[in-house]
Amino acid sequence: MNMKTAYVHGYLPREARRLYDQADTLAPLLHAGTAYPAGSWVLEVGCGVGAQTVYLARNSPRARIVAVDHSEESLAQARAYLREQEPDADVTWRTADLLHLPFKEAEFDHIFACFVLEHLWEPGKALATLRRLLRPGGTLTVIEGDHGSAVFHPDSPHAHEVIGHQVRLQAAAGGNALLGRELQPLLSGAGFGNVVIRPRTVYADRTRPALVDGFTRNTFIAMVEAVRDDALGIGLTTAADWDRGITDLRRAAEDDGTFHYTFFKAVAVNPMS
């Protein structure tokens, strides 16, 4: 398994826009506490279109970042986006597969992976590969979501069903949309020590309009809506059932709705011996 497994969300321009919106909305939540010292070597794996790279560079302006992705098209978008957002950032871009990274053992002080492991057949194997690239005492930061944590009002079994279709499609593509809950055993099993998991919760209602738009509508619901054709194409649902579920899910973004989701942020250390 390599990073060329089908990316369930696709590579259309709307997905790049969703990733940028998601990063901007969630940066205070997900990047809080992540900053690397001046001169340190930082590897970002699965950087995609650079949505998270911008915040790594912004929060660690004197760190030396190497950003890797298997998609040359995504890397081209990432370069352009970083030039626009953080033109002075020290970032080197590399095209490579996660399981065959062109780096020496213990080459990096820190590694960052956000929304990457959820798309891999063998996340434990990927973590073991990353550990070899970390110096002893170096840190790995991993951020993943868990679609099973989505709780909303008004509740609806039809809305949960369309979320379930996205989960099933991601599994069929070789991923796991419920990976957040597994981070601690995965990291420990790959040989990391001092594993600390911190849930990062998003809660949105009409008193938090920026989160209703930025997360409920433009991140989560947009992600689910994007798999409609695939779900219908393989017979997971009918058009009528899909439309009913999406309509119910959108109620969570109305004035009388609420939406809750949990991300899991893990920091772990490569043991000294």
Side-chain angles (χ1 to χ4, degrees):
M1 160 61 195
N2 58 42
M3 288 187 67
K4 294 183 180 180
T5 296
Y7 178 57
V8 69
H9 306 306
Y11 292 93
L12 295 175
R14 69 184 182 192
E15 172 61 8
R17 184 68 265 160
R18 186 187 73 83
L19 292 172
Y20 292 136
D21 288 344
Q22 173 181 252
D24 291 343
T25 299
L26 298 176
L29 181 76
L30 299 184
H31 283 267
T34 299
Y36 300 116
S40 59
W41 282 98
V42 179
L43 174 64
E44 182 193 7
V45 293
C47 68
V49 297
Q52 306 297 332
T53 315
V54 164
Y55 288 96
L56 287 178
R58 190 169 293 165
N59 294 342
S60 304
R62 297 178 62 193
R64 294 172 289 188
I65 299 170
V66 179
V68 174
D69 199 87
H70 79 276
S71 168
E72 293 184 2
E73 181 180 352
S74 293
L75 286 175
Q77 293 179 72
R79 289 189 189 95
Y81 189 63
L82 193 75
R83 281 197 300 268
E84 174 188 310
Q85 299 293 320
E86 295 291 331
D88 297 325
D90 185 357
V91 177
T92 301
W93 308 95
R94 298 290 296 271
T95 306
D97 179 85
L98 195 154
L99 295 182
H100 302 92
L101 293 170
F103 307 115
K104 297 180 295 184
E105 290 192 6
E107 186 166 348
F108 293 95
D109 301 299
H110 307 282
I111 298 178
F112 181 86
C114 185
F115 310 145
V116 175
L117 299 181
E118 64 172 300
H119 298 293
L120 304 182
W121 280 101
E122 299 176 289
K125 186 175 180 180
L127 288 170
T129 297
L130 295 178
R131 190 168 74 84
R132 289 195 294 272
L133 301 182
L134 266 180
R135 64 167 174 80
T139 69
L140 170 70
T141 298
V142 177
I143 302 172
E144 293 290 349
D146 189 322
H147 291 1
S149 71
V151 179
F152 43 88
H153 171 79
D155 198 14
S156 161
H158 308 290
H160 285 289
E161 187 64 25
V162 294
I163 295 170
H165 295 325
Q166 196 283 332
V167 172
R168 284 184 281 276
L169 286 165
Q170 188 159 333
N176 180 3
L178 310 177
L179 190 77
R181 68 187 71 180
E182 300 181 25
L183 283 181
Q184 196 282 331
L186 277 171
L187 287 161
S188 296
F192 286 92
N194 295 13
V195 179
V196 176
I197 311 293
R198 292 187 173 89
R200 302 290 174 99
T201 298
V202 181
Y203 171 77
D205 64 25
R206 66 180 181 179
T207 68
R208 302 176 177 186
L211 285 175
V212 172
D213 282 335
F215 185 73
T216 308
R217 286 196 181 98
N218 297 334
T219 294
F220 192 84
I221 296 176
M223 174 193 64
V224 175
E225 287 177 322
V227 304
R228 179 185 187 276
D229 290 346
D230 290 336
L232 293 176
I234 64 171
L236 284 178
T237 186
T238 66
D241 286 344
W242 175 273
D243 292 344
R244 181 176 181 180
I246 283 292
T247 297
D248 285 359
L249 185 58
R250 289 174 180 155
R251 284 286 312 281
E254 299 302 322
D255 281 349
D256 62 343
T258 69
F259 192 86
H260 169 280
Y261 187 92
T262 301
F263 294 94
F264 295 87
K265 183 173 182 176
V267 178
V269 176
N270 186 20
M272 297 296 293
S273 59

